[in-house]
Amino acid sequence: MNELTIAMPKGRIFEEAYEMLIEAGFELPENVEMSRKLMIEIPQEKIRFILAKPMDVPTYVEHGVADIGIAGKDVLLEQRREVHELLDLNISKCHIASAGLPNTTLNEIAPRIATKYPTVASDYYREKGEQVEIIGLNGSIELAPMIGLADRIVDIVSTGQTLKENGLVEYEFITDVSSRLIANPASYRMKSERILDLVKRLKKCVK
Ligand code: PRP
Protein backbone atom coordinates (compact mmCIF):
# COMPACT_ATOMS: atom_id res chain seq x y z
CA MET A 1 0.00 0.00 0.00
CA ASN A 2 1.34 3.44 -0.97
CA GLU A 3 1.81 6.06 1.69
CA LEU A 4 -0.66 8.92 1.37
CA THR A 5 0.26 12.45 2.35
CA ILE A 6 -2.72 14.55 3.35
CA ALA A 7 -2.51 18.32 3.74
CA MET A 8 -4.83 19.38 6.52
CA PRO A 9 -5.80 22.94 7.39
CA LYS A 10 -4.74 24.11 10.82
CA GLY A 11 -7.36 25.77 12.93
CA ARG A 12 -11.09 25.68 12.81
CA ILE A 13 -11.52 23.32 9.84
CA PHE A 14 -9.08 20.77 11.23
CA GLU A 15 -11.24 19.30 13.95
CA GLU A 16 -14.27 18.71 11.75
CA ALA A 17 -12.18 17.18 8.97
CA TYR A 18 -10.24 14.97 11.38
CA GLU A 19 -13.46 13.78 13.04
CA MET A 20 -14.79 12.87 9.64
CA LEU A 21 -11.73 10.74 8.86
CA ILE A 22 -12.19 8.92 12.17
CA GLU A 23 -15.86 8.40 11.35
CA ALA A 24 -14.82 7.02 7.96
CA GLY A 25 -12.95 4.30 9.85
CA PHE A 26 -9.38 5.58 9.84
CA GLU A 27 -7.46 4.65 12.99
CA LEU A 28 -6.17 8.01 14.12
CA PRO A 29 -4.84 9.22 17.48
CA GLU A 30 -6.90 11.66 19.49
CA ASN A 31 -5.86 15.23 20.33
CA VAL A 32 -3.25 15.51 17.60
CA GLU A 33 -3.68 19.23 17.09
CA MET A 34 -2.90 19.84 20.73
CA SER A 35 0.77 19.46 19.89
CA ARG A 36 2.79 21.93 17.82
CA LYS A 37 3.91 19.28 15.39
CA LEU A 38 3.42 20.11 11.74
CA MET A 39 3.87 16.62 10.40
CA ILE A 40 2.17 13.57 11.86
CA GLU A 41 2.86 10.02 10.76
CA ILE A 42 0.16 7.40 11.19
CA PRO A 43 2.10 4.21 10.40
CA GLN A 44 -0.83 1.84 10.93
CA GLU A 45 -2.77 3.64 8.18
CA LYS A 46 0.25 4.56 6.03
CA ILE A 47 -0.92 8.14 6.22
CA ARG A 48 1.14 11.25 6.82
CA PHE A 49 -0.59 14.50 7.70
CA ILE A 50 0.97 17.84 7.07
CA LEU A 51 -0.66 20.69 8.93
CA ALA A 52 -0.74 23.87 6.88
CA LYS A 53 -2.38 27.26 6.91
CA PRO A 54 -5.77 26.83 5.19
CA MET A 55 -4.71 29.17 2.36
CA ASP A 56 -1.61 27.02 1.71
CA VAL A 57 -3.27 23.60 1.42
CA PRO A 58 -3.88 23.85 -2.37
CA THR A 59 -0.25 24.92 -2.85
CA TYR A 60 1.07 21.72 -1.26
CA VAL A 61 -1.38 19.65 -3.27
CA GLU A 62 -0.69 21.38 -6.59
CA HIS A 63 3.04 20.83 -6.12
CA GLY A 64 2.46 17.18 -5.32
CA VAL A 65 4.13 17.20 -1.90
CA ALA A 66 0.70 16.31 -0.57
CA ASP A 67 -1.35 13.78 -2.55
CA ILE A 68 -4.63 15.08 -1.28
CA GLY A 69 -5.83 17.85 0.97
CA ILE A 70 -8.80 19.50 2.56
CA ALA A 71 -9.43 23.02 1.41
CA GLY A 72 -12.20 25.56 1.69
CA LYS A 73 -14.10 26.44 -1.48
CA ASP A 74 -13.21 30.06 -0.71
CA VAL A 75 -9.52 29.27 -1.09
CA LEU A 76 -10.11 27.21 -4.24
CA LEU A 77 -12.13 30.00 -5.86
CA GLU A 78 -9.49 32.52 -4.95
CA GLN A 79 -6.45 30.56 -6.09
CA ARG A 80 -7.67 28.46 -9.03
CA ARG A 81 -4.94 25.88 -8.58
CA GLU A 82 -4.37 22.85 -10.79
CA VAL A 83 -5.98 20.32 -8.46
CA HIS A 84 -8.93 17.95 -8.75
CA GLU A 85 -11.88 18.68 -6.52
CA LEU A 86 -13.09 15.23 -5.49
CA LEU A 87 -15.74 15.66 -2.85
CA ASP A 88 -17.75 18.32 -1.05
CA LEU A 89 -17.37 17.34 2.61
CA ASN A 90 -20.18 19.70 3.56
CA ILE A 91 -18.32 20.81 6.68
CA SER A 92 -17.08 24.24 7.82
CA LYS A 93 -20.00 25.76 6.00
CA CYS A 94 -20.15 29.51 5.66
CA HIS A 95 -20.53 32.01 2.86
CA ILE A 96 -18.71 34.89 1.26
CA ALA A 97 -20.55 38.20 1.43
CA SER A 98 -20.03 41.89 1.08
CA ALA A 99 -20.53 43.93 4.23
CA GLY A 100 -20.10 47.45 5.45
CA LEU A 101 -21.35 50.09 7.85
CA PRO A 102 -25.17 50.26 8.02
CA ASN A 103 -27.02 52.60 5.65
CA THR A 104 -24.05 53.26 3.42
CA THR A 105 -23.53 52.97 -0.32
CA LEU A 106 -20.40 52.56 -2.39
CA ASN A 107 -18.49 55.79 -2.80
CA GLU A 108 -19.50 57.06 -6.27
CA ILE A 109 -16.13 58.44 -7.26
CA ALA A 110 -13.68 55.96 -5.77
CA PRO A 111 -15.40 52.84 -4.40
CA ARG A 112 -13.04 50.69 -2.36
CA ILE A 113 -13.38 47.08 -1.28
CA ALA A 114 -11.11 45.52 1.33
CA THR A 115 -10.69 41.76 1.23
CA LYS A 116 -8.61 38.66 1.78
CA TYR A 117 -10.16 37.39 -1.49
CA PRO A 118 -9.07 39.83 -4.23
CA THR A 119 -9.91 37.46 -7.12
CA VAL A 120 -13.35 36.55 -5.80
CA ALA A 121 -14.10 40.21 -5.05
CA SER A 122 -12.94 41.58 -8.38
CA ASP A 123 -14.82 38.85 -10.31
CA TYR A 124 -17.95 39.69 -8.35
CA TYR A 125 -17.87 43.43 -8.93
CA ARG A 126 -16.81 43.02 -12.57
CA GLU A 127 -19.83 40.79 -13.19
CA LYS A 128 -22.02 43.44 -11.59
CA GLY A 129 -20.46 46.05 -13.87
CA GLU A 130 -19.08 48.09 -10.98
CA GLN A 131 -15.59 49.49 -11.17
CA VAL A 132 -14.01 49.25 -7.75
CA GLU A 133 -10.58 49.40 -6.24
CA ILE A 134 -9.66 46.20 -4.42
CA ILE A 135 -7.54 46.58 -1.31
CA GLY A 136 -5.89 43.33 -0.23
CA LEU A 137 -5.60 42.60 3.49
CA ASN A 138 -4.60 39.45 5.35
CA GLY A 139 -7.07 39.40 8.21
CA SER A 140 -9.15 41.51 10.60
CA ILE A 141 -10.88 42.74 7.44
CA GLU A 142 -13.77 44.18 9.48
CA LEU A 143 -11.52 47.03 10.53
CA ALA A 144 -11.44 48.49 7.02
CA PRO A 145 -14.92 50.13 6.92
CA MET A 146 -14.68 51.06 10.59
CA ILE A 147 -11.62 53.21 10.04
CA GLY A 148 -12.47 54.48 6.57
CA LEU A 149 -10.15 52.33 4.48
CA ALA A 150 -12.99 50.86 2.39
CA ASP A 151 -16.75 51.16 1.78
CA ARG A 152 -17.24 47.42 1.76
CA ILE A 153 -15.44 44.27 2.72
CA VAL A 154 -15.72 40.94 0.95
CA ASP A 155 -15.19 38.24 3.51
CA ILE A 156 -16.30 34.97 5.03
CA VAL A 157 -19.39 35.12 7.21
CA SER A 158 -19.97 32.13 9.43
CA THR A 159 -22.00 32.93 12.54
CA GLY A 160 -22.16 36.64 11.74
CA GLN A 161 -20.73 37.42 15.15
CA THR A 162 -17.66 39.29 13.91
CA LEU A 163 -19.78 41.62 11.75
CA LYS A 164 -22.21 42.21 14.61
CA GLU A 165 -19.56 42.93 17.20
CA ASN A 166 -17.97 45.47 14.91
CA GLY A 167 -21.20 47.23 13.95
CA LEU A 168 -21.22 46.03 10.34
CA VAL A 169 -24.07 44.60 8.27
CA GLU A 170 -24.12 42.14 5.42
CA TYR A 171 -25.09 43.61 2.03
CA GLU A 172 -24.72 40.99 -0.68
CA PHE A 173 -24.44 37.22 -0.58
CA ILE A 174 -21.67 36.17 -2.97
CA THR A 175 -21.24 32.41 -2.72
CA ASP A 176 -21.60 29.42 -0.41
CA VAL A 177 -18.44 27.86 1.02
CA SER A 178 -17.66 24.42 2.45
CA SER A 179 -14.58 22.24 2.72
CA ARG A 180 -13.60 20.12 -0.25
CA LEU A 181 -11.36 17.10 -0.68
CA ILE A 182 -8.81 17.91 -3.37
CA ALA A 183 -6.14 15.81 -5.08
CA ASN A 184 -2.97 16.34 -7.02
CA PRO A 185 -3.72 15.15 -10.59
CA ALA A 186 -0.63 12.89 -10.80
CA SER A 187 -1.25 11.36 -7.36
CA TYR A 188 -4.84 10.80 -8.35
CA ARG A 189 -3.67 8.68 -11.29
CA MET A 190 -0.83 6.90 -9.50
CA LYS A 191 -2.54 6.26 -6.17
CA SER A 192 -6.06 5.99 -7.53
CA GLU A 193 -6.94 2.89 -5.55
CA ARG A 194 -6.13 4.46 -2.19
CA ILE A 195 -7.62 7.81 -3.05
CA LEU A 196 -10.83 6.34 -4.44
CA ASP A 197 -11.18 4.17 -1.34
CA LEU A 198 -10.82 7.25 0.85
CA VAL A 199 -13.37 9.17 -1.23
CA LYS A 200 -15.81 6.27 -1.01
CA ARG A 201 -15.44 6.04 2.76
CA LEU A 202 -15.70 9.78 3.31
CA LYS A 203 -18.71 10.04 1.02
CA LYS A 204 -20.64 7.81 3.39
CA CYS A 205 -19.96 10.26 6.22
CA VAL A 206 -21.06 13.40 4.39
CA LYS A 207 -24.10 14.81 6.15
C1 PRP B 1 -12.98 34.82 9.52
C2 PRP B 1 -13.55 35.93 8.67
C3 PRP B 1 -14.33 36.75 9.66
C4 PRP B 1 -14.83 35.70 10.64
C5 PRP B 1 -16.26 35.35 10.37
O1 PRP B 1 -11.84 35.30 10.13
O2 PRP B 1 -12.50 36.66 8.04
O3 PRP B 1 -13.53 37.70 10.28
O4 PRP B 1 -14.01 34.55 10.46
O5 PRP B 1 -16.77 34.44 11.29
P1 PRP B 1 -18.12 34.73 12.10
O6 PRP B 1 -19.17 35.12 11.09
O7 PRP B 1 -18.45 33.42 12.75
O8 PRP B 1 -17.87 35.81 13.10
P2 PRP B 1 -10.78 34.37 10.84
O9 PRP B 1 -11.26 33.97 12.18
O10 PRP B 1 -10.43 33.25 9.91
O11 PRP B 1 -9.55 35.36 11.07
P3 PRP B 1 -8.95 36.55 10.22
O12 PRP B 1 -9.59 37.81 10.72
O13 PRP B 1 -7.50 36.48 10.56
O14 PRP B 1 -9.22 36.32 8.77
Side-chain angles (χ1 to χ4, degrees):
M1 188 165 65
N2 292 324
E3 170 150 280
L4 209 58
T5 301
I6 308 181
M8 291 284 272
K10 285 203 289 185
R12 65 170 93 182
I13 311 169
F14 179 87
E15 267 172 47
E16 277 184 277
Y18 196 75
E19 264 314 302
M20 221 173 154
L21 285 166
I22 292 175
E23 215 185 304
F26 291 93
E27 255 187 72
L28 306 175
E30 282 174 25
N31 298 332
V32 288
E33 228 209 0
M34 301 299 282
S35 88
R36 305 284 293 173
K37 272 196 184 168
L38 298 176
M39 202 188 288
I40 299 161
E41 301 275 353
I42 318 283
Q44 67 272 26
E45 292 284 2
K46 280 204 150 195
I47 283 176
R48 178 168 66 161
F49 288 111
I50 54 175
L51 301 187
K53 285 270 184 196
M55 282 274 190
D56 293 336
V57 166
T59 312
Y60 290 101
V61 175
E62 183 182 57
H63 288 271
V65 289
D67 300 303
I68 58 172
I70 290 173
K73 185 70 184 175
D74 53 333
V75 178
L76 297 172
L77 286 171
E78 182 59 31
Q79 301 185 358
R80 298 176 184 155
R81 300 236 168 225
E82 294 285 318
V83 296
H84 292 328
E85 198 179 305
L86 301 180
L87 182 64
D88 181 353
L89 299 173
N90 210 27
I91 55 171
S92 308
K93 286 167 72 174
C94 52
H95 64 280
I96 299 179
S98 73
L101 291 169
N103 308 312
T104 55
T105 53
L106 283 181
N107 183 301
E108 279 178 24
I109 300 155
R112 286 183 306 200
I113 315 294
T115 186
K116 219 166 30 176
Y117 301 98
T119 304
V120 173
S122 52
D123 284 356
Y124 177 72
Y125 286 98
R126 191 181 319 108
E127 272 165 35
K128 278 186 61 169
E130 304 212 30
Q131 273 215 326
V132 298
E133 181 189 350
I134 305 288
I135 300 176
L137 293 175
N138 288 308
S140 305
I141 314 295
E142 293 78 8
L143 273 175
M146 296 164 69
I147 57 167
L149 177 63
D151 312 311
R152 294 281 184 270
I153 59 171
V154 165
D155 200 14
I156 288 288
V157 180
S158 177
T159 61
Q161 196 64 21
T162 311
L163 290 181
K164 203 170 154 200
E165 284 187 21
N166 291 291
L168 303 181
V169 293
E170 188 173 324
Y171 280 99
E172 298 143 308
F173 168 90
I174 298 182
T175 185
D176 277 314
V177 170
S178 57
S179 294
R180 312 291 162 104
L181 183 73
I182 58 170
N184 171 273
S187 297
Y188 187 65
R189 280 195 308 274
M190 283 151 57
K191 300 183 181 179
S192 62
E193 209 174 309
R194 278 215 77 182
I195 294 176
L196 289 175
D197 170 68
L198 186 134
V199 171
K200 199 169 115 194
R201 287 161 70 177
L202 279 176
K203 215 179 224 170
K204 288 189 188 141
C205 306
V206 174
K207 294 181 181 100

